[in-house]
Amino acid sequence: MKTILILLLFDLLLNGKEVDRTEFCRDYAISVRTFYRYLQGIDDYLRLSQKGLVLRNDRGATYRLCPEETDDAVTPDDSAAETNECR
């Protein structure tokens, strides 16, 4: 189940969807900590594969992928509620 959820999360992000942490955790019965571990795995993969994409945190609980050239990258567990729009 873990692998399927990580791939589902990655697929949502790759398809331009915003993923709300609270909804994802509720829908798939996982903890917030587990969600962060899944995002960290995706972030690690993006860094190793040099896909030119980075994770962004928007409004505190929403995550999405943006082109790497933006300068406001956050770590997957950053709790800042700043809006980081893709440019």
Side-chain angles (χ1 to χ4, degrees), residues 33-50:
R33 183 66 198 129
T34 297
F35 178 82
Y36 287 144
R37 281 194 300 267
Y38 292 175
L39 279 184
Q40 187 62 55
I42 292 169
D43 189 55
D44 291 345
Y45 170 74
L46 290 171
R47 290 175 197 275
L48 288 172
S49 66
Q50 300 176 347

Side-chain angles (χ1 to χ4, degrees), residues 6-19 35 39 42 46 53 55-56 62-66:
I6 293 170
L7 289 172
L8 173 66
L9 181 57
F10 190 50
D11 190 53
L12 289 169
L13 293 166
L14 276 177
N15 287 311
K17 304 280 194 270
E18 290 185 344
V19 177
F35 178 82
L39 279 184
I42 292 169
L46 290 171
L53 298 170
L55 284 168
R56 295 282 181 254
T62 304
Y63 294 82
R64 59 202 158 84
L65 290 178
C66 291

